[in-house]
Amino acid sequence: MTDRTTFVSLEGLRSRGWSDGMVRDLLGQPDVQGRSPRRGAGAPVRLYLLARVEAVERAREFGCARAGGTAGVRVAAERRRRAVLATLRAEPIRVPILPPAELERRAVRYRREVGGAGADDGAAGDLPRWQVGYLRSALRSYDALLDGLFAASGRAEAERLLRQRVDTAIAQAYPWLAGECRRRTEGGRGGR
């Protein structure tokens, strides 16, 4: 069950001064979609994380959009996109260096945790995939660099760049995983 106190509905956003266009441009897709208990069984409700809403409201783009300057919103969003991409390119990615046996142990444990029942039924050739998956999860703190990019402001491009940089750093730290990293980067396997 969803705790509705941590989410804001579209109606709630409107009461906070959001227009439908602002929601579309600055928030994009809702975090949760469900059914409204007030509007009948079939009425859909879109919910947005309150923390995400508040972060957007603190951004310059929100002030520009609220003032009615859609051109200003686009300029500010493009400026933010360029700044985030520059930060992503400059930020050093520090991969944890583990002995091979420890990396293998952690990767298998991680695979069991996220894979559920039968997760250790894979072939021996799956180990590099599991190791890269574990290392990617260990580097999730870099996802914070994407904060401030909204739906229409180049977030997908920034996510691709970050995945590519993380894969490159893993391949440099663990040369025997370079093939798996390259396969993920080229194949667009974005799962972290």
Side-chain angles (χ1 to χ4, degrees):
M1 175 135 190
T2 302
D3 178 9
R4 293 184 184 267
T5 60
T6 59
F7 292 90
V8 179
S9 67
L10 187 58
E11 183 179 307
L13 289 172
R14 288 180 183 136
S15 71
R16 294 171 74 105
W18 288 74
S19 69
D20 290 348
M22 290 167 61
V23 172
R24 180 190 64 242
D25 293 343
L26 299 177
L27 287 176
Q29 295 296 316
D31 297 298
V32 175
Q33 289 185 337
R35 300 288 175 210
S36 173
R38 294 185 201 152
R39 297 186 196 164
V45 64
R46 296 179 290 175
L47 299 174
Y48 299 85
L49 277 170
L50 180 59
R52 189 163 70 103
V53 169
E54 290 173 341
V56 172
E57 287 175 346
R58 288 189 296 271
R60 180 184 304 177
E61 290 87 350
F62 182 76
C64 292
R66 201 165 189 186
T70 56
V73 170
R74 288 188 188 107
V75 168
E78 178 59 21
R79 189 177 313 122
R80 182 178 300 263
R81 183 188 73 81
R82 283 194 307 264
V84 168
L85 289 174
T87 300
L88 285 174
R89 287 183 184 103
E91 185 71 22
I93 306 291
R94 292 182 177 85
V95 178
I97 304 299
L98 303 169
E102 178 65 14
L103 177 59
E104 180 177 332
R105 189 181 68 72
R106 289 185 187 192
V108 169
R109 186 177 67 211
Y110 172 75
R111 174 66 178 160
R112 286 182 184 143
E113 290 172 2
V114 300
D120 50 345
D121 294 343
D126 289 339
L127 186 58
R129 186 169 47 91
W130 298 352
Q131 290 172 322
V132 172
Y134 164 74
L135 290 167
R136 279 179 158 195
S137 74
L139 297 170
R140 279 194 173 253
S141 62
Y142 289 98
D143 289 351
L145 295 173
L146 301 172
D147 290 350
L149 282 181
F150 312 121
S153 61
R155 186 169 181 98
E157 176 186 6
E159 287 172 348
R160 276 190 304 275
L161 176 61
L162 179 59
R163 279 193 308 268
Q164 180 183 17
R165 297 240 16 254
V166 165
D167 286 342
T168 299
I170 291 171
Q172 288 173 347
Y174 298 94
W176 68 90
L177 297 176
E180 175 63 18
C181 292
R182 189 172 35 260
R183 185 185 69 77
R184 286 179 179 232
T185 299
E186 291 170 359
R189 288 208 37 189
R192 294 198 38 151

PDB file of all heavy atoms in Angstrom, residues 5 7-19 22 27 48-58 62 66:
ATOM      1  N   THR A   5       0.903  10.231   2.134  1.00  0.00           N
ATOM      2  CA  THR A   5       1.423  11.462   2.724  1.00  0.00           C
ATOM      3  C   THR A   5       2.767  11.849   2.119  1.00  0.00           C
ATOM      4  O   THR A   5       3.194  12.981   2.253  1.00  0.00           O
ATOM      5  CB  THR A   5       1.578  11.335   4.250  1.00  0.00           C
ATOM      6  OG1 THR A   5       2.493  10.271   4.524  1.00  0.00           O
ATOM      7  CG2 THR A   5       0.239  11.064   4.907  1.00  0.00           C
ATOM      8  N   PHE A   7       3.360  11.547  -1.141  1.00  0.00           N
ATOM      9  CA  PHE A   7       3.088  11.786  -2.550  1.00  0.00           C
ATOM     10  C   PHE A   7       2.134  12.960  -2.707  1.00  0.00           C
ATOM     11  O   PHE A   7       1.402  13.302  -1.794  1.00  0.00           O
ATOM     12  CB  PHE A   7       2.460  10.543  -3.205  1.00  0.00           C
ATOM     13  CG  PHE A   7       3.404   9.389  -3.312  1.00  0.00           C
ATOM     14  CD1 PHE A   7       3.496   8.458  -2.304  1.00  0.00           C
ATOM     15  CD2 PHE A   7       4.217   9.247  -4.420  1.00  0.00           C
ATOM     16  CE1 PHE A   7       4.371   7.391  -2.396  1.00  0.00           C
ATOM     17  CE2 PHE A   7       5.095   8.184  -4.531  1.00  0.00           C
ATOM     18  CZ  PHE A   7       5.166   7.253  -3.510  1.00  0.00           C
ATOM     19  N   VAL A   8       2.163  13.562  -3.896  1.00  0.00           N
ATOM     20  CA  VAL A   8       1.255  14.657  -4.217  1.00  0.00           C
ATOM     21  C   VAL A   8       0.523  14.265  -5.496  1.00  0.00           C
ATOM     22  O   VAL A   8       1.142  13.815  -6.462  1.00  0.00           O
ATOM     23  CB  VAL A   8       2.036  15.979  -4.450  1.00  0.00           C
ATOM     24  CG1 VAL A   8       1.103  17.110  -4.817  1.00  0.00           C
ATOM     25  CG2 VAL A   8       2.860  16.329  -3.236  1.00  0.00           C
ATOM     26  N   SER A   9      -0.778  14.464  -5.484  1.00  0.00           N
ATOM     27  CA  SER A   9      -1.580  14.170  -6.676  1.00  0.00           C
ATOM     28  C   SER A   9      -1.510  15.354  -7.639  1.00  0.00           C
ATOM     29  O   SER A   9      -1.027  16.438  -7.291  1.00  0.00           O
ATOM     30  CB  SER A   9      -3.035  13.915  -6.280  1.00  0.00           C
ATOM     31  OG  SER A   9      -3.603  15.113  -5.786  1.00  0.00           O
ATOM     32  N   LEU A  10      -2.035  15.159  -8.832  1.00  0.00           N
ATOM     33  CA  LEU A  10      -2.097  16.248  -9.804  1.00  0.00           C
ATOM     34  C   LEU A  10      -2.924  17.402  -9.247  1.00  0.00           C
ATOM     35  O   LEU A  10      -2.563  18.571  -9.392  1.00  0.00           O
ATOM     36  CB  LEU A  10      -2.674  15.741 -11.133  1.00  0.00           C
ATOM     37  CG  LEU A  10      -2.652  16.719 -12.295  1.00  0.00           C
ATOM     38  CD1 LEU A  10      -1.238  17.195 -12.591  1.00  0.00           C
ATOM     39  CD2 LEU A  10      -3.252  16.067 -13.527  1.00  0.00           C
ATOM     40  N   GLU A  11      -4.002  17.064  -8.580  1.00  0.00           N
ATOM     41  CA  GLU A  11      -4.837  18.095  -7.940  1.00  0.00           C
ATOM     42  C   GLU A  11      -4.034  18.854  -6.878  1.00  0.00           C
ATOM     43  O   GLU A  11      -4.117  20.082  -6.768  1.00  0.00           O
ATOM     44  CB  GLU A  11      -6.058  17.417  -7.306  1.00  0.00           C
ATOM     45  CG  GLU A  11      -7.048  18.359  -6.676  1.00  0.00           C
ATOM     46  CD  GLU A  11      -8.233  17.582  -6.111  1.00  0.00           C
ATOM     47  OE1 GLU A  11      -8.842  16.794  -6.860  1.00  0.00           O
ATOM     48  OE2 GLU A  11      -8.521  17.779  -4.916  1.00  0.00           O
ATOM     49  N   GLY A  12      -3.236  18.121  -6.113  1.00  0.00           N
ATOM     50  CA  GLY A  12      -2.389  18.753  -5.102  1.00  0.00           C
ATOM     51  C   GLY A  12      -1.336  19.660  -5.720  1.00  0.00           C
ATOM     52  O   GLY A  12      -1.024  20.724  -5.190  1.00  0.00           O
ATOM     53  N   LEU A  13      -0.800  19.235  -6.860  1.00  0.00           N
ATOM     54  CA  LEU A  13       0.179  20.075  -7.554  1.00  0.00           C
ATOM     55  C   LEU A  13      -0.461  21.367  -8.032  1.00  0.00           C
ATOM     56  O   LEU A  13       0.133  22.442  -7.920  1.00  0.00           O
ATOM     57  CB  LEU A  13       0.786  19.323  -8.742  1.00  0.00           C
ATOM     58  CG  LEU A  13       1.746  18.181  -8.401  1.00  0.00           C
ATOM     59  CD1 LEU A  13       2.107  17.397  -9.649  1.00  0.00           C
ATOM     60  CD2 LEU A  13       2.994  18.712  -7.721  1.00  0.00           C
ATOM     61  N   ARG A  14      -1.670  21.261  -8.564  1.00  0.00           N
ATOM     62  CA  ARG A  14      -2.374  22.468  -9.023  1.00  0.00           C
ATOM     63  C   ARG A  14      -2.595  23.435  -7.873  1.00  0.00           C
ATOM     64  O   ARG A  14      -2.461  24.652  -8.045  1.00  0.00           O
ATOM     65  CB  ARG A  14      -3.697  22.084  -9.669  1.00  0.00           C
ATOM     66  CG  ARG A  14      -3.519  21.427 -11.020  1.00  0.00           C
ATOM     67  CD  ARG A  14      -4.861  21.059 -11.637  1.00  0.00           C
ATOM     68  NE  ARG A  14      -4.683  20.369 -12.891  1.00  0.00           N
ATOM     69  CZ  ARG A  14      -5.350  19.292 -13.249  1.00  0.00           C
ATOM     70  NH1 ARG A  14      -6.276  18.777 -12.438  1.00  0.00           N
ATOM     71  NH2 ARG A  14      -5.121  18.715 -14.403  1.00  0.00           N
ATOM     72  N   SER A  15      -2.907  22.906  -6.689  1.00  0.00           N
ATOM     73  CA  SER A  15      -3.118  23.797  -5.535  1.00  0.00           C
ATOM     74  C   SER A  15      -1.803  24.436  -5.085  1.00  0.00           C
ATOM     75  O   SER A  15      -1.818  25.451  -4.408  1.00  0.00           O
ATOM     76  CB  SER A  15      -3.784  23.044  -4.383  1.00  0.00           C
ATOM     77  OG  SER A  15      -2.881  22.122  -3.805  1.00  0.00           O
ATOM     78  N   ARG A  16      -0.676  23.846  -5.460  1.00  0.00           N
ATOM     79  CA  ARG A  16       0.638  24.414  -5.136  1.00  0.00           C
ATOM     80  C   ARG A  16       1.104  25.394  -6.209  1.00  0.00           C
ATOM     81  O   ARG A  16       2.207  25.910  -6.144  1.00  0.00           O
ATOM     82  CB  ARG A  16       1.671  23.294  -5.002  1.00  0.00           C
ATOM     83  CG  ARG A  16       1.430  22.361  -3.837  1.00  0.00           C
ATOM     84  CD  ARG A  16       2.370  21.165  -3.902  1.00  0.00           C
ATOM     85  NE  ARG A  16       3.725  21.495  -3.536  1.00  0.00           N
ATOM     86  CZ  ARG A  16       4.309  21.175  -2.373  1.00  0.00           C
ATOM     87  NH1 ARG A  16       3.638  20.496  -1.476  1.00  0.00           N
ATOM     88  NH2 ARG A  16       5.555  21.526  -2.130  1.00  0.00           N
ATOM     89  N   GLY A  17       0.302  25.606  -7.261  1.00  0.00           N
ATOM     90  CA  GLY A  17       0.644  26.575  -8.294  1.00  0.00           C
ATOM     91  C   GLY A  17       1.188  25.972  -9.579  1.00  0.00           C
ATOM     92  O   GLY A  17       1.702  26.696 -10.429  1.00  0.00           O
ATOM     93  N   TRP A  18       1.073  24.673  -9.742  1.00  0.00           N
ATOM     94  CA  TRP A  18       1.554  24.004 -10.940  1.00  0.00           C
ATOM     95  C   TRP A  18       0.481  24.018 -12.020  1.00  0.00           C
ATOM     96  O   TRP A  18      -0.690  23.848 -11.741  1.00  0.00           O
ATOM     97  CB  TRP A  18       1.880  22.544 -10.640  1.00  0.00           C
ATOM     98  CG  TRP A  18       3.104  22.324  -9.815  1.00  0.00           C
ATOM     99  CD1 TRP A  18       3.238  22.554  -8.477  1.00  0.00           C
ATOM    100  CD2 TRP A  18       4.346  21.806 -10.264  1.00  0.00           C
ATOM    101  NE1 TRP A  18       4.496  22.214  -8.066  1.00  0.00           N
ATOM    102  CE2 TRP A  18       5.199  21.746  -9.143  1.00  0.00           C
ATOM    103  CE3 TRP A  18       4.820  21.387 -11.487  1.00  0.00           C
ATOM    104  CZ2 TRP A  18       6.504  21.292  -9.224  1.00  0.00           C
ATOM    105  CZ3 TRP A  18       6.118  20.921 -11.572  1.00  0.00           C
ATOM    106  CH2 TRP A  18       6.946  20.875 -10.444  1.00  0.00           C
ATOM    107  N   SER A  19       0.901  24.201 -13.258  1.00  0.00           N
ATOM    108  CA  SER A  19      -0.009  24.027 -14.390  1.00  0.00           C
ATOM    109  C   SER A  19       0.240  22.633 -14.967  1.00  0.00           C
ATOM    110  O   SER A  19       1.261  21.997 -14.674  1.00  0.00           O
ATOM    111  CB  SER A  19       0.250  25.089 -15.464  1.00  0.00           C
ATOM    112  OG  SER A  19       1.508  24.852 -16.079  1.00  0.00           O
ATOM    113  N   MET A  22       3.528  22.584 -16.771  1.00  0.00           N
ATOM    114  CA  MET A  22       4.676  22.543 -15.870  1.00  0.00           C
ATOM    115  C   MET A  22       4.903  21.115 -15.373  1.00  0.00           C
ATOM    116  O   MET A  22       6.048  20.663 -15.295  1.00  0.00           O
ATOM    117  CB  MET A  22       4.458  23.501 -14.694  1.00  0.00           C
ATOM    118  CG  MET A  22       4.521  24.967 -15.080  1.00  0.00           C
ATOM    119  SD  MET A  22       3.900  26.078 -13.783  1.00  0.00           S
ATOM    120  CE  MET A  22       5.012  25.746 -12.446  1.00  0.00           C
ATOM    121  N   LEU A  27       8.223  17.578 -14.340  1.00  0.00           N
ATOM    122  CA  LEU A  27       8.156  16.325 -13.586  1.00  0.00           C
ATOM    123  C   LEU A  27       8.107  15.094 -14.481  1.00  0.00           C
ATOM    124  O   LEU A  27       8.629  14.047 -14.124  1.00  0.00           O
ATOM    125  CB  LEU A  27       6.936  16.309 -12.662  1.00  0.00           C
ATOM    126  CG  LEU A  27       7.004  17.203 -11.436  1.00  0.00           C
ATOM    127  CD1 LEU A  27       5.699  17.161 -10.668  1.00  0.00           C
ATOM    128  CD2 LEU A  27       8.163  16.820 -10.539  1.00  0.00           C
ATOM    129  N   TYR A  48       3.027  11.960  -7.449  1.00  0.00           N
ATOM    130  CA  TYR A  48       4.414  12.383  -7.604  1.00  0.00           C
ATOM    131  C   TYR A  48       5.050  12.433  -6.217  1.00  0.00           C
ATOM    132  O   TYR A  48       4.427  12.917  -5.269  1.00  0.00           O
ATOM    133  CB  TYR A  48       4.476  13.765  -8.259  1.00  0.00           C
ATOM    134  CG  TYR A  48       3.858  13.769  -9.638  1.00  0.00           C
ATOM    135  CD1 TYR A  48       2.494  13.950  -9.813  1.00  0.00           C
ATOM    136  CD2 TYR A  48       4.640  13.553 -10.766  1.00  0.00           C
ATOM    137  CE1 TYR A  48       1.918  13.929 -11.075  1.00  0.00           C
ATOM    138  CE2 TYR A  48       4.082  13.529 -12.031  1.00  0.00           C
ATOM    139  CZ  TYR A  48       2.717  13.716 -12.181  1.00  0.00           C
ATOM    140  OH  TYR A  48       2.153  13.689 -13.430  1.00  0.00           O
ATOM    141  N   LEU A  49       6.269  11.932  -6.097  1.00  0.00           N
ATOM    142  CA  LEU A  49       6.971  11.966  -4.818  1.00  0.00           C
ATOM    143  C   LEU A  49       7.105  13.407  -4.335  1.00  0.00           C
ATOM    144  O   LEU A  49       7.562  14.280  -5.082  1.00  0.00           O
ATOM    145  CB  LEU A  49       8.364  11.352  -4.952  1.00  0.00           C
ATOM    146  CG  LEU A  49       8.456   9.843  -4.873  1.00  0.00           C
ATOM    147  CD1 LEU A  49       9.839   9.370  -5.271  1.00  0.00           C
ATOM    148  CD2 LEU A  49       8.124   9.367  -3.475  1.00  0.00           C
ATOM    149  N   LEU A  50       6.725  13.636  -3.111  1.00  0.00           N
ATOM    150  CA  LEU A  50       6.787  14.983  -2.543  1.00  0.00           C
ATOM    151  C   LEU A  50       8.218  15.512  -2.549  1.00  0.00           C
ATOM    152  O   LEU A  50       8.448  16.677  -2.868  1.00  0.00           O
ATOM    153  CB  LEU A  50       6.218  14.987  -1.123  1.00  0.00           C
ATOM    154  CG  LEU A  50       6.214  16.328  -0.399  1.00  0.00           C
ATOM    155  CD1 LEU A  50       5.398  17.355  -1.174  1.00  0.00           C
ATOM    156  CD2 LEU A  50       5.681  16.172   1.012  1.00  0.00           C
ATOM    157  N   ALA A  51       9.193  14.664  -2.231  1.00  0.00           N
ATOM    158  CA  ALA A  51      10.590  15.117  -2.218  1.00  0.00           C
ATOM    159  C   ALA A  51      11.024  15.582  -3.602  1.00  0.00           C
ATOM    160  O   ALA A  51      11.731  16.590  -3.739  1.00  0.00           O
ATOM    161  CB  ALA A  51      11.501  13.990  -1.728  1.00  0.00           C
ATOM    162  N   ARG A  52      10.597  14.879  -4.637  1.00  0.00           N
ATOM    163  CA  ARG A  52      10.947  15.275  -6.010  1.00  0.00           C
ATOM    164  C   ARG A  52      10.252  16.583  -6.371  1.00  0.00           C
ATOM    165  O   ARG A  52      10.844  17.472  -6.979  1.00  0.00           O
ATOM    166  CB  ARG A  52      10.553  14.161  -6.981  1.00  0.00           C
ATOM    167  CG  ARG A  52      11.061  14.391  -8.380  1.00  0.00           C
ATOM    168  CD  ARG A  52      11.035  13.123  -9.216  1.00  0.00           C
ATOM    169  NE  ARG A  52       9.726  12.651  -9.565  1.00  0.00           N
ATOM    170  CZ  ARG A  52       9.162  12.793 -10.767  1.00  0.00           C
ATOM    171  NH1 ARG A  52       9.810  13.410 -11.735  1.00  0.00           N
ATOM    172  NH2 ARG A  52       7.972  12.318 -11.006  1.00  0.00           N
ATOM    173  N   VAL A  53       8.986  16.722  -5.993  1.00  0.00           N
ATOM    174  CA  VAL A  53       8.228  17.949  -6.262  1.00  0.00           C
ATOM    175  C   VAL A  53       8.910  19.136  -5.591  1.00  0.00           C
ATOM    176  O   VAL A  53       9.120  20.188  -6.207  1.00  0.00           O
ATOM    177  CB  VAL A  53       6.764  17.808  -5.785  1.00  0.00           C
ATOM    178  CG1 VAL A  53       6.050  19.150  -5.807  1.00  0.00           C
ATOM    179  CG2 VAL A  53       6.022  16.776  -6.634  1.00  0.00           C
ATOM    180  N   GLU A  54       9.284  18.965  -4.334  1.00  0.00           N
ATOM    181  CA  GLU A  54       9.920  20.060  -3.602  1.00  0.00           C
ATOM    182  C   GLU A  54      11.273  20.421  -4.202  1.00  0.00           C
ATOM    183  O   GLU A  54      11.650  21.594  -4.242  1.00  0.00           O
ATOM    184  CB  GLU A  54      10.048  19.695  -2.127  1.00  0.00           C
ATOM    185  CG  GLU A  54       8.697  19.677  -1.427  1.00  0.00           C
ATOM    186  CD  GLU A  54       8.759  19.163  -0.005  1.00  0.00           C
ATOM    187  OE1 GLU A  54       9.754  18.471   0.363  1.00  0.00           O
ATOM    188  OE2 GLU A  54       7.808  19.435   0.749  1.00  0.00           O
ATOM    189  N   ALA A  55      12.027  19.424  -4.674  1.00  0.00           N
ATOM    190  CA  ALA A  55      13.318  19.708  -5.315  1.00  0.00           C
ATOM    191  C   ALA A  55      13.123  20.531  -6.582  1.00  0.00           C
ATOM    192  O   ALA A  55      13.871  21.481  -6.840  1.00  0.00           O
ATOM    193  CB  ALA A  55      14.036  18.397  -5.642  1.00  0.00           C
ATOM    194  N   VAL A  56      12.112  20.195  -7.362  1.00  0.00           N
ATOM    195  CA  VAL A  56      11.835  20.949  -8.585  1.00  0.00           C
ATOM    196  C   VAL A  56      11.375  22.362  -8.235  1.00  0.00           C
ATOM    197  O   VAL A  56      11.760  23.328  -8.896  1.00  0.00           O
ATOM    198  CB  VAL A  56      10.792  20.215  -9.458  1.00  0.00           C
ATOM    199  CG1 VAL A  56      10.360  21.077 -10.633  1.00  0.00           C
ATOM    200  CG2 VAL A  56      11.354  18.898  -9.960  1.00  0.00           C
ATOM    201  N   GLU A  57      10.578  22.486  -7.197  1.00  0.00           N
ATOM    202  CA  GLU A  57      10.081  23.810  -6.806  1.00  0.00           C
ATOM    203  C   GLU A  57      11.214  24.732  -6.361  1.00  0.00           C
ATOM    204  O   GLU A  57      11.102  25.949  -6.471  1.00  0.00           O
ATOM    205  CB  GLU A  57       9.041  23.669  -5.692  1.00  0.00           C
ATOM    206  CG  GLU A  57       7.727  23.112  -6.186  1.00  0.00           C
ATOM    207  CD  GLU A  57       6.713  22.854  -5.094  1.00  0.00           C
ATOM    208  OE1 GLU A  57       7.087  22.852  -3.892  1.00  0.00           O
ATOM    209  OE2 GLU A  57       5.539  22.653  -5.421  1.00  0.00           O
ATOM    210  N   ARG A  58      12.309  24.168  -5.877  1.00  0.00           N
ATOM    211  CA  ARG A  58      13.463  24.986  -5.475  1.00  0.00           C
ATOM    212  C   ARG A  58      14.327  25.389  -6.671  1.00  0.00           C
ATOM    213  O   ARG A  58      15.171  26.268  -6.563  1.00  0.00           O
ATOM    214  CB  ARG A  58      14.319  24.223  -4.462  1.00  0.00           C
ATOM    215  CG  ARG A  58      13.686  24.096  -3.096  1.00  0.00           C
ATOM    216  CD  ARG A  58      14.659  23.521  -2.085  1.00  0.00           C
ATOM    217  NE  ARG A  58      15.075  22.164  -2.385  1.00  0.00           N
ATOM    218  CZ  ARG A  58      14.451  21.064  -1.978  1.00  0.00           C
ATOM    219  NH1 ARG A  58      13.368  21.162  -1.243  1.00  0.00           N
ATOM    220  NH2 ARG A  58      14.918  19.879  -2.285  1.00  0.00           N
ATOM    221  N   PHE A  62      11.425  26.186 -12.164  1.00  0.00           N
ATOM    222  CA  PHE A  62      10.076  26.278 -11.610  1.00  0.00           C
ATOM    223  C   PHE A  62       9.659  27.744 -11.489  1.00  0.00           C
ATOM    224  O   PHE A  62       8.556  28.113 -11.854  1.00  0.00           O
ATOM    225  CB  PHE A  62       9.995  25.589 -10.245  1.00  0.00           C
ATOM    226  CG  PHE A  62       8.617  25.613  -9.657  1.00  0.00           C
ATOM    227  CD1 PHE A  62       7.636  24.762 -10.133  1.00  0.00           C
ATOM    228  CD2 PHE A  62       8.294  26.506  -8.641  1.00  0.00           C
ATOM    229  CE1 PHE A  62       6.359  24.779  -9.600  1.00  0.00           C
ATOM    230  CE2 PHE A  62       7.024  26.529  -8.106  1.00  0.00           C
ATOM    231  CZ  PHE A  62       6.047  25.667  -8.582  1.00  0.00           C
ATOM    232  N   ARG A  66       6.554  29.335 -13.454  1.00  0.00           N
ATOM    233  CA  ARG A  66       5.464  29.922 -12.671  1.00  0.00           C
ATOM    234  C   ARG A  66       5.208  31.364 -13.109  1.00  0.00           C
ATOM    235  O   ARG A  66       4.079  31.831 -13.094  1.00  0.00           O
ATOM    236  CB  ARG A  66       5.807  29.867 -11.198  1.00  0.00           C
ATOM    237  CG  ARG A  66       4.613  29.955 -10.326  1.00  0.00           C
ATOM    238  CD  ARG A  66       4.968  29.532  -8.946  1.00  0.00           C
ATOM    239  NE  ARG A  66       3.738  29.417  -8.186  1.00  0.00           N
ATOM    240  CZ  ARG A  66       3.697  29.177  -6.925  1.00  0.00           C
ATOM    241  NH1 ARG A  66       4.812  28.991  -6.258  1.00  0.00           N
ATOM    242  NH2 ARG A  66       2.560  29.101  -6.298  1.00  0.00           N
TER     243      ARG A  66
END
